[in-house]
Amino acid sequence: MQRSFLGLALVLGLVSAVGPFAIDMYLPALPTIGKSLGASPASVQATLIVFFLALGAGQVVYGPVSDMLGRKAPLYFGLALFGVGSIGCALAPDAGTLIALRFVQGLGACAGMVIPRAVVRDLHTGTEAARLMSMLMLVFSVSPILAPLTGSLLIDNFGWRSVFWAVAVAAVLAAILLATSLPETRPPGERVGSSLRGALHAYGVLLRDSHFLGLSLIGGFGVASFFAYLANSSFVLIDHYGLSPRQYSVAFAANAASFIGVSQLTARWGARFGLVPMVKVAVTAYSTVMVVALAVQLAGVDSLALMLGMLFIGYGALGLVIPATMVLSMEEHGTIAGTASALGGTLHFAAGIAVMGLLAPFANGAPVPMLAGIAGSALLACGLAWGTLRRR
């Protein structure tokens, strides 16, 4: 059983990580891409924003389709579309073309974001689901640790276009792994009654469920705080603080390691203290640390070491919040797990895109706008947690 559990987490985590690799591997190259294509920082950031838009919008489709057709067929389609988009990005002659193909790439990538969460709900609930979700995130989170380092090595030796060739190869490997190692967890007998009309009804049920929406948005603003870091950190750490792309990758990986390491305690602490109390305490700690980090910068203390240390602590606390709220949000919606996973994921990305859009006019390469976005998102997540979970 333990081997089966680990094997499932490995497969689901690696399939889920294909899309994030397409984000994290090219983050160190954002300034280089701008110079290579003669594009402004806003245009370069648009290649990131449209990818997130596609990730959020596509999940609304993939979730119900996976309820109707099973989990594996939509995953194959998504990986194929992702591969085509990746090859197109590698050959893009200008920023406009790159932006368009990043959208295509994102539409393919979101299959691997939404469907593995539904597979977890197909098989487990409660603390066992939290355990599998946290293990999946352990494998999935290899992306923000290894991808920036791998990307910086590829960029240094082969140029930024090599990043997209690499993720195209990753999509092929993920398809092979999916074909050989993952059984279908939504057999035909469980698809009876799943239809377009049923999907629309399911979305209506979920949109009227304030508890589901609250939990999804707690995780959503947690994700949004990380999106604020994704969109701005390369400019802040490389241009403002003078780190090299490789040093930036190490700093980025440290925050990811904190998130991953603490997330592995989700099931253990959830079983001991309860998932709901754990989320309340963790999100409060996260928002407190992020507000203090912003206050320090506003007070004129522009210390790279202090900022990185507080981000490390804060993202560790966030590692308890996101997997737990994912599990809690789908606990009562097992028969429409794909649709629930899709809407939850869409809300995550909608919150992230909204925060990135609000920050974009103020982004100047300095730490304060980035930290303001992170702290504001953390406070919203904290307020939602205490409001949503007060009776639980």
Side-chain angles (χ1 to χ4, degrees), residues 148-159 162 246:
L149 294 169
T150 305
S152 63
L153 289 172
L154 287 172
I155 293 159
D156 288 345
N157 291 285
F158 304 105
S162 63
R246 195 166 301 178

Side-chain angles (χ1 to χ4, degrees), residues 1-13 135 181-182:
M1 179 64 182
Q2 179 69 9
R3 178 179 294 181
S4 174
F5 212 80
L6 290 171
L8 181 62
L10 179 64
V11 173
L12 294 177
M135 290 174 67
S181 304
L182 183 69

Side-chain angles (χ1 to χ4, degrees), residues 257-295:
S258 175
F259 179 92
I260 297 162
V262 179
S263 73
Q264 299 312 296
L265 299 172
T266 302
R268 180 182 300 177
W269 287 358
R272 182 174 179 181
F273 304 111
L275 289 175
V276 168
M278 183 188 71
V279 168
K280 289 180 178 179
V281 172
V283 77
T284 301
Y286 177 53
S287 61
T288 300
V289 171
M290 294 298 96
V291 168
V292 171
L294 174 61

Side-chain angles (χ1 to χ4, degrees), residues 55-73:
L55 281 177
Q59 291 188 53
V60 177
V61 177
Y62 282 110
V65 167
S66 77
D67 284 339
M68 289 185 277
L69 303 180
R71 308 303 186 202
K72 294 185 72 172

